[in-house]
């Protein structure tokens, strides 16, 4: 790839912007936060949220394109999706690095953590590893070497990574205390599940043409299944907030 | 089709904005280890790990899975004001795997929070969790009115200017080359 093509490549601008934003965030936070400890917590949180938002954007583009094939700029969005995923991996690695070495204190520190946190960190690390593997294999030469079917299977792990991230955030994410945060997360997930349901239904109809008469039923059924699983999640995964809720001897 | 969803999208956006504005307080967490590095705990302090001097802050120590509970240990919680060296024992309540207390830090400044877990089995050692909490919001003590100015971070100032300039440069170049980018960056 020559320099001229690089300057015409939207992915180049997305990645460069991601790096610049990470620098701006860190510097702005350092200047506005007196406590070094609080700075560490905040920057780790911000990088985590940036990773999630970018990952979500990368995940939703393809099914959105299937649901709305005439969406303006769809071809450009599909082209730029790869850079969004790589940027998500970049922020995820920053988040992991700061949390792991800055807050937890490395491998020695993990062994001393409460159980719930250890499990949540394992989920987070696996999700970050999946995201990193996807980022590293985002080159045309790698796709050709791996062959497209194998590469596609690897990138389908992104959905598993997404589930692990949800568990990670639910179990120890501090902002899950906010009703607004939970609501926004649910709305965004509902949208993602809706367009994915449409995409999966399209694939099912190709295999089972008779389903085309019940297309909307299949879409709603798939969406309901996904939303039910999401709503059940709090019952399965405990959070540190449950600990506080159970501690009724200390009511404010 | 896009025209049909504009109004609902705008409505959703407004709802989301209202939710963002009207939010309750969240707690955050700090990982701390005992002095002998035998075990760790997670301290949650409200609001958002940044207590406000003069206002009640809820302090929770999460000890789940570390074999420490009210059945096996007796807990004491002490807060020390580092500027005046005054110490205060705080009433606390112990759950199955957590300890909690409510405390209003009197003034801005540095405080040492010490949680001591005394085991009922004398063969085990006492665990002491020590955490330094900076209170940077709320009531200002008379002594700190003339406090020294907060530390400056030259690297952060330079980095901020550099980062913002980079973003502006990227935006300008991308805008100028938008047609070339649009024709190249497409499937």
């Amino acid at each position: 790839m020559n320099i001229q093509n690089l300057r015409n490549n939207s992915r180049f601008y997305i990645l460069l912007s991601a790096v610049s934003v990470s620098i701006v965030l860190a510097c702005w936070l350092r200047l506005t936060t007196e406590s070094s400890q609080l700075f560490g917590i905040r920057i780790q949180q911000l990088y985590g949220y940036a990773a999630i938002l970018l990952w979500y954007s990368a995940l939703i583009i393809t099914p959105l394109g299937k649901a709305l094939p005439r969406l303006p700029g769809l071809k450009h969005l599909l082209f730029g999706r790869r850079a969004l995923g790589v940027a998500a991996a970049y922020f995820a690695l920053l988040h992991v690095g700061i949390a792991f070495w800055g807050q937890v204190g490395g491998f020695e520190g993990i062994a001393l953590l409460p159980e719930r946190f250890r499990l949540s960190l394992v989920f987070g690390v696996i999700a970050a590893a999946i995201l990193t593997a996807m980022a590293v294999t985002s080159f045309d030469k790698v796709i050709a070497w791996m062959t497209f079917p194998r590469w596609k299977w690897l990138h389908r792990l992104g959905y598993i990574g997404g589930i692990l991230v949800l568990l990670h955030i639910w179990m120890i994410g501090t902002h899950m205390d906010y009703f607004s945060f939970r609501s926004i997360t649910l709305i965004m997930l509902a949208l993602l599940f809706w367009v994915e349901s449409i995409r999966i239904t399209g694939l099912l109809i190709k295999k089972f043409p008779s389903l085309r008469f019940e297309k909307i039923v299949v879409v709603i059924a798939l969406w309901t299944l996904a939303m039910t699983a999401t709503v059940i999640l709090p019952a399965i995964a405990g959070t540190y907030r449950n600990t506080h809720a159970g501690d009724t001897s200390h009511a404010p | 089709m896009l025209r049909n969803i504009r109004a609902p999208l705008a409505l959703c956006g407004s709802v989301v904005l209202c939710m963002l504005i009207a939010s309750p307080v969240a707690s955050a967490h700090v990982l701390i280890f005992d002095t002998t590095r035998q075990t760790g705990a997670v301290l949650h302090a409200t609001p958002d790990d940044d207590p406000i001097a003069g206002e009640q802050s809820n302090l929770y120590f999460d000890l789940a899975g570390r074999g420490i509970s009210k059945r096996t240990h007796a807990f004491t919680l002490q807060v020390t004001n580092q500027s005046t060296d005054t110490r205060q024992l705080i009433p606390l309540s112990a759950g199955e795997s957590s300890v909690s207390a409510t405390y209003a830090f009197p003034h801005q400044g540095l405080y040492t929070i010490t949680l001591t877990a005394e085991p009922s089995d004398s063969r085990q050692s006492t665990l002491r969790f020590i955490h330094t909490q900076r209170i940077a919001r709320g009531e200002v003590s008379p002594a700190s009115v003339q406090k020294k100015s907060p530390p400056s971070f030259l690297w952060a100032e330079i980095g901020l200017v550099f980062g913002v300039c980079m973003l502006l440069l990227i935006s300008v170049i991308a805008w100028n080359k938008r047609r070339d980018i649009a024709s190249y960056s497409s499937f």
Side-chain angles (χ1 to χ4, degrees):
Chain A
M1 181 183 288
N2 57 42
I3 296 293
Q4 183 60 33
N5 285 344
L6 197 65
R7 286 192 295 176
N8 294 336
N9 193 329
S10 62
R11 293 169 183 166
F12 169 70
Y13 293 98
I14 292 171
L15 292 172
L16 209 53
S17 300
V19 173
S20 303
V21 164
S22 69
I23 293 170
V24 167
L25 279 177
C27 296
W28 169 77
L29 213 53
R30 181 68 276 197
L31 291 171
T32 55
T33 310
E34 202 173 323
S35 163
S36 295
Q37 187 177 71
L38 197 59
F39 164 69
I41 291 172
R42 291 283 181 266
I43 193 62
Q44 165 257 111
Q45 286 174 336
L46 274 181
Y47 283 161
Y49 293 137
I52 289 165
L53 283 173
L54 286 165
W55 197 351
Y56 178 86
S57 306
L59 278 176
I60 202 171
I61 286 174
T62 298
L64 196 63
K66 299 282 187 209
L68 303 169
R70 288 184 195 160
L71 188 69
L74 178 62
K75 284 187 279 190
H76 305 299
L77 283 175
L78 286 169
F79 186 87
R81 190 177 64 140
R82 196 180 290 187
L84 291 175
V86 174
Y90 167 68
F91 278 107
L93 287 175
L94 287 176
H95 169 80
V96 167
I98 293 169
F100 188 68
W101 282 287
Q103 291 186 281
V104 174
F107 291 105
E108 188 200 18
I110 285 190
L112 303 179
L113 285 175
E115 224 166 61
R116 190 173 298 123
F117 264 79
R118 271 209 308 269
L119 187 60
S120 175
L121 289 185
V122 166
F123 289 156
V125 165
I126 294 173
I130 290 173
L131 196 49
T132 305
M134 289 165 64
V136 164
T137 55
S138 289
F139 300 94
D140 292 335
K141 284 187 178 169
V142 175
I143 299 170
W145 176 73
M146 282 181 74
T147 72
F148 185 76
R150 279 200 205 118
W151 178 86
K152 194 71 190 165
W153 270 111
L154 171 67
H155 281 250
R156 284 203 175 110
L157 287 178
Y159 293 100
I160 295 175
I163 294 169
L164 292 174
V165 163
L166 281 178
L167 284 169
H168 171 73
I169 297 170
W170 175 253
M171 290 169 80
I172 62 171
T174 56
H175 293 93
M176 276 297 173
D177 256 355
Y178 289 110
F179 172 73
S180 58
F181 191 87
R182 279 188 282 191
S183 304
I184 291 168
T185 305
L186 202 60
I187 291 168
M188 289 174 74
L189 285 174
L191 181 62
L192 177 62
F193 292 154
W194 182 254
V195 292
E196 281 287 4
S197 299
I198 294 174
R199 186 177 70 90
I200 293 170
T201 303
L203 291 171
L204 287 172
I205 287 173
K206 277 184 189 167
K207 268 200 163 178
F208 309 104
S210 59
L211 278 176
R212 70 182 183 276
F213 300 111
E214 284 100 21
K215 183 178 177 182
I216 190 65
V217 172
V218 176
V219 170
I220 292 174
L222 287 171
W223 182 82
T224 307
L225 197 66
M227 288 304 292
T228 306
T230 304
V231 169
I232 286 174
L233 176 70
I236 299 170
T239 72
Y240 73 83
R241 293 180 296 280
N242 295 348
T243 311
H244 301 166
D247 193 6
T248 55
S249 57
H250 175 71
Chain B
M1 186 181 177
L2 278 177
R3 259 180 262 143
N4 293 337
I5 63 173
R6 256 185 218 159
L9 268 177
L11 183 63
C12 285
S14 310
V15 169
V16 163
L17 194 58
C18 289
M19 283 171 169
L20 276 170
I21 294 166
S23 322
V25 155
S27 60
H29 51 256
V30 176
L31 309 173
I32 53 178
F33 304 105
D34 80 292
T35 50
T36 61
R37 301 288 287 191
Q38 279 182 50
T39 189
V42 176
L43 167 63
H44 316 288
T46 63
D48 225 3
D49 204 39
D50 193 15
I52 302 170
E55 293 182 17
Q56 295 288 335
S57 174
N58 295 325
L59 307 170
Y60 299 99
F61 289 84
D62 183 353
L63 302 156
R66 306 309 309 172
I68 308 168
S69 73
K70 63 181 178 184
R71 284 181 280 110
T72 58
H73 290 74
F75 297 100
T76 54
L77 186 63
Q78 180 180 274
V79 175
T80 306
N81 186 332
Q82 288 190 9
S83 55
T84 61
D85 205 30
T86 50
R87 292 159 200 220
Q88 198 174 349
L89 277 177
I90 310 300
L92 55 81
S93 56
E96 261 313 305
S97 57
S98 66
V99 170
S100 59
T102 299
Y103 182 67
F105 296 90
H107 304 292
Q108 290 185 26
L110 280 175
Y111 294 82
T112 305
I113 301 171
T114 307
L115 175 70
T116 306
E118 199 78 48
S120 48
D121 183 352
S122 55
R123 287 169 296 177
Q124 293 180 346
S125 52
T126 300
L127 298 170
R128 199 165 277 114
F129 300 89
I130 301 174
H131 170 65
T132 302
Q133 179 71 52
R134 175 177 287 282
I135 308 300
R137 301 191 286 173
E139 306 265 351
V140 179
S141 73
S144 67
V145 168
Q146 291 176 0
K147 67 178 178 182
K148 58 181 182 204
S149 54
S152 67
F153 299 96
L154 183 62
W155 65 264
E157 290 169 5
I158 294 172
L160 185 63
V161 171
F162 172 76
V164 169
C165 288
M166 277 295 295
L167 284 171
L168 285 172
L169 190 65
I170 291 165
S171 306
V172 166
I173 295 174
W175 177 256
N176 287 340
K177 292 186 74 61
R178 62 190 183 281
R179 290 195 179 86
D180 292 334
I181 292 170
S183 68
Y184 182 87
S185 305
S186 176
F187 283 129

